[in-house]
């Protein structure tokens, strides 16, 4: 696992094996950031189910002004902190050890881009998208979510409409765009 582009390009990240983690492959990560390339710089990014922080750190490397990492697993938070320290990233981020579904009800939810990689064992992409659709940040532009092939993932969630979907053998990568009134 490594940073693909930007300020920290080529730096390796600490990973660990656990039942609840399925790291986003470099190939999928590259697809995500190629699709969102012109929107990442100077943006506020929310990394839900952040795990080791790979997606959020990639956003920081590519010029996001702030990344909020949210995960409720102690070991994930420890690895995330190690990765930030390893790259000497000391500002421009916040870490919250919280349940993502509870966090999505927060009145303080702020992001222009939301990156979501729920635990593949839970099959909760649809549940997360429904919760998000009930409390959309006003500045939101894109939501990118990974889901297992055999789980439900709809094309529309409130004001979020499917923009692009990529098929990766065992999973989908779905990008939603906010509909403007």
């Amino acid at each position: 696992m490594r940073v693909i582009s930007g300020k920290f390009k080529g730096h390796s990240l600490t990973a660990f094996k656990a039942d609840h983690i399925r790291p986003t492959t470099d190939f999928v990560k590259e697809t995500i950031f190629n699709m969102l390339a012109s929107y990442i710089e100077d943006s506020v990014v929310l990394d839900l189910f952040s795990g080791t922080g790979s997606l959020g750190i990639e956003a920081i490397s590519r010029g996001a002004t702030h990344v909020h990492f949210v995960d409720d697993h102690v070991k994930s938070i420890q690895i995330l902190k190690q990765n930030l320290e390893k790259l000497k990233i000391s500002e421009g981020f916040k870490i919250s050890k919280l349940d993502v579904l509870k966090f999505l009800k927060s009145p303080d939810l702020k992001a222009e881009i939301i990156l979501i990689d729920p635990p593949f064992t839970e099959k909760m992409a649809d549940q997360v998208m429904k919760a998000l659709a009930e409390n959309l940040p006003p500045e939101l532009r894109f939501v990118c979510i990974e889901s297992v092939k055999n789980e439900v993932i709809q094309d529309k969630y409130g004001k979020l409409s499917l923009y692009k979907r990529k098929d990766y053998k065992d999973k989908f990568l779905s990008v939603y765009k906010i509909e403007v009134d």
Side-chain angles (χ1 to χ4, degrees):
M1 197 166 52
R2 65 187 172 88
V3 180
I4 296 170
S5 188
K7 181 177 179 178
F8 303 107
K9 179 180 179 176
H11 285 80
S12 63
L13 298 174
T14 302
F16 73 99
K17 294 194 184 265
D19 291 342
H20 74 288
I21 288 185
R22 172 203 56 196
T24 301
T25 65
D26 286 352
F27 183 68
V28 174
K29 186 165 48 170
E30 190 167 16
T31 301
I32 292 168
F33 286 94
N34 284 343
M35 282 195 264
L36 301 175
S38 60
Y39 304 99
I40 293 291
E41 192 168 349
D42 297 325
S43 65
V44 175
V45 176
L46 180 57
D47 184 358
L48 299 178
F49 303 100
S50 59
T52 61
S54 174
L55 294 175
I57 289 170
E58 187 73 34
I60 290 170
S61 183
R62 292 175 185 239
T65 56
H66 185 81
V67 174
H68 190 163
F69 298 94
V70 180
D71 201 301
D72 69 349
H73 194 272
V74 174
K75 184 68 172 170
S76 293
I77 299 292
Q78 289 172 348
I79 298 292
L80 166 60
K81 287 178 179 178
Q82 286 175 15
N83 282 327
L84 291 166
E85 288 172 14
K86 183 177 186 178
L87 296 172
K88 296 178 176 47
I89 300 170
S90 59
E91 58 186 19
F93 69 89
K94 179 179 180 179
I95 299 171
S96 294
K97 185 189 174 302
L98 296 168
D99 176 85
V100 167
L101 293 174
K102 289 179 183 171
F103 174 79
L104 288 174
K105 294 176 183 175
S106 168
D108 299 327
L109 186 63
K110 292 179 175 50
E112 294 166 272
I113 297 170
I114 301 177
L115 307 172
I116 310 170
D117 186 10
F120 71 100
T121 56
E122 303 288 321
K123 295 185 182 177
M124 59 189 299
D126 185 62
Q127 182 183 8
V128 171
M129 291 300 293
K130 285 177 180 174
L132 176 60
E134 292 176 11
N135 187 24
L136 292 174
E139 65 280 359
L140 184 64
R141 299 175 81 180
F142 292 98
V143 174
C144 186
I145 187 166
E146 294 180 54
S147 61
V148 180
K149 271 265 178 95
N150 61 353
E151 74 179 295
V152 173
I153 189 84
Q154 299 174 32
D155 291 348
K156 189 165 174 51
Y157 291 94
K159 290 186 174 190
L160 291 169
S161 293
L162 185 66
Y163 175 63
K164 290 184 182 181
R165 180 170 285 142
K166 293 274 191 171
D167 186 335
Y168 294 97
K169 296 180 188 174
D170 64 336
K171 65 181 167 186
F172 287 117
L173 171 64
S174 301
V175 179
Y176 293 84
K177 191 173 182 178
I178 195 86
E179 291 176 356
V180 180
D181 294 330

